[in-house]
């Protein structure tokens, strides 16, 4: 998993640099510390979900539970963990949750892009073999190179476009945190949609891969938050003296 770890480290570093660059000058250190907390939350949750899904193996190999460098991080778990970390950090730092979430939207983007690219190089989350002209060479988990549906490349491209567009449009949003919530919905949608093109072995339930169920859950939660936020914003405008 050397290359995957290298890509993730690159994504984390570039995301933290972006967060520090965007933070108020007097609060750079504070935001960098918060960014590290979010990364820790994503790492713990991503690993925990992987261990829970593969408990039949890890209960016989307990020492490997903390050996994250051996591989095994759930993208859906990492997303959920980062959201939980933002709520906790916002409470500890006495900082608005929406502002904090929007500040670290680019971090989610760089991690998503580099995770997909790392999987392309390392042979995880690979697609079905295909003879179509648009199929690209990609290895599987055993290192076998074949022409496949470019799931990882599509994931990286869609994630990059999504976060870039939301980051650009976020300056026009009147509701703090709306951009980050839409980002969570979009990144979860990418994972959900591409799960139907993946060929790597995975646990399933009712015909769907577990990451599809997890991403669908995050889509539902983020969509609910968007609806509630819009309704609250509309209510405030109606009751505001200047509204």
């Amino acid at each position: 998993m050397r290359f995957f770890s290298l890509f993730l480290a690159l994504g984390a570093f570039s995301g933290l640099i972006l967060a520090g660059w965007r933070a108020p000058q007097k609060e750079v250190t504070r935001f960098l510390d918060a960014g590290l907390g979010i990364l820790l939350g994503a790492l713990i949750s991503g690993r925990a979900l992987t261990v829970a899904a593969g408990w039949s193996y890890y209960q016989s190999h307990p020492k490997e539970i903390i050996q994250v460098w051996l591989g095994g991080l759930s993208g859906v778990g990492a997303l959920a963990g980062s959201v939980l970390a933002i709520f906790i950090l916002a409470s500890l730092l006495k900082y608005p949750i929406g502002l904090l979430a929007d500040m670290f939207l680019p971090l989610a983007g760089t991690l998503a892009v580099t995770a997909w690219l790392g999987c392309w190089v390392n042979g995880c989350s690979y697609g079905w073999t295909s003879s179509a002209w648009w199929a690209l060479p990609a290895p599987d988990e055993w290192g076998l190179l074949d022409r496949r549906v470019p799931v990882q490349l599509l994931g990286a491209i869609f994630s990059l476009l999504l976060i870039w567009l939301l980051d650009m449009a976020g300056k026009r949003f009147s509701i703090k945190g709306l951009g980050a919530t839409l980002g969570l919905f979009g990144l979860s949608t990418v994972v959900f949609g591409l799960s139907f093109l993946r060929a790597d072995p995975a646990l399933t339930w009712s015909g769907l891969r577990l990451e599809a169920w997890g991403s669908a859950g995050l889509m539902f939660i983020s969509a609910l938050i968007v609806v509630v936020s819009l309704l609250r914003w509309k209510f405030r405008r109606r009751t505001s003296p200047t509204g």
Side-chain angles (χ1 to χ4, degrees):
M1 299 294 290
R2 252 182 309 178
F3 289 109
F4 183 77
S5 300
L6 182 62
F7 272 89
L8 272 188
L10 178 62
F13 178 75
S14 56
L16 287 176
I17 292 297
L18 282 173
W21 176 64
R22 291 153 57 101
Q25 188 173 3
K26 295 182 179 180
E27 299 186 43
V28 172
T29 302
R30 186 185 186 192
F31 275 97
L32 288 179
D33 289 340
L36 291 174
I38 293 171
L39 289 173
L40 180 61
L43 177 64
I44 293 175
S45 185
R47 184 60 173 177
L49 191 56
T50 296
V51 171
W55 182 243
S56 58
Y57 171 83
Y58 285 104
Q59 66 179 342
S60 302
H61 304 80
K63 292 182 180 180
E64 293 186 18
I65 292 177
I66 61 172
Q67 295 175 347
V68 294
W69 54 88
L70 296 179
L73 286 175
S74 166
V76 172
L79 277 174
S82 62
V83 172
L84 180 59
I86 287 175
F87 273 89
I88 294 174
L89 288 167
S91 176
L92 293 176
L93 298 175
K94 308 300 182 183
Y95 204 84
I97 294 175
L99 288 176
L100 189 64
D102 285 340
M103 182 68 69
F104 286 101
L105 179 61
L107 176 60
T110 56
L111 283 175
V113 171
T114 53
W116 282 113
L117 293 178
C119 278
W120 191 18
V121 174
N122 221 76
C124 54
S125 305
Y126 51 87
W128 296 103
T129 56
S130 174
S131 58
W133 64 267
W134 39 261
L136 296 175
D140 59 16
E141 57 187 316
W142 298 281
L144 180 62
L145 192 67
D146 206 342
R147 292 178 61 83
R148 303 178 181 277
V149 178
V151 170
Q152 304 103 320
L153 185 59
L154 290 173
I157 292 173
F158 289 152
S159 298
L160 178 62
L161 288 175
L162 169 72
I163 298 301
W164 179 72
L165 289 173
L166 283 176
D167 193 52
M168 294 291 291
K171 300 173 183 178
R172 302 179 181 179
F173 292 153
S174 301
I175 305 173
K176 301 303 179 184
L178 181 61
T181 308
L182 290 174
L184 175 63
F185 179 84
L187 291 176
S188 302
T189 302
V190 170
V191 175
F192 179 80
L194 293 180
S195 69
F196 295 96
L197 302 177
R198 287 175 55 174
D200 54 310
L203 296 174
T204 61
W205 183 61
S206 296
L208 288 181
R209 299 168 64 101
L210 291 187
E211 72 267 9
W213 285 108
S215 55
L218 290 178
M219 289 165 61
F220 175 77
I221 293 172
S222 54
L224 185 62
I225 293 174
V226 168
V227 171
V228 171
S229 298
L230 290 174
L231 290 175
R232 289 180 62 186
W233 176 75
K234 188 175 182 180
F235 177 77
R236 287 174 181 171
R237 287 197 64 184
R238 285 183 175 179
T239 57
S240 173
T242 58

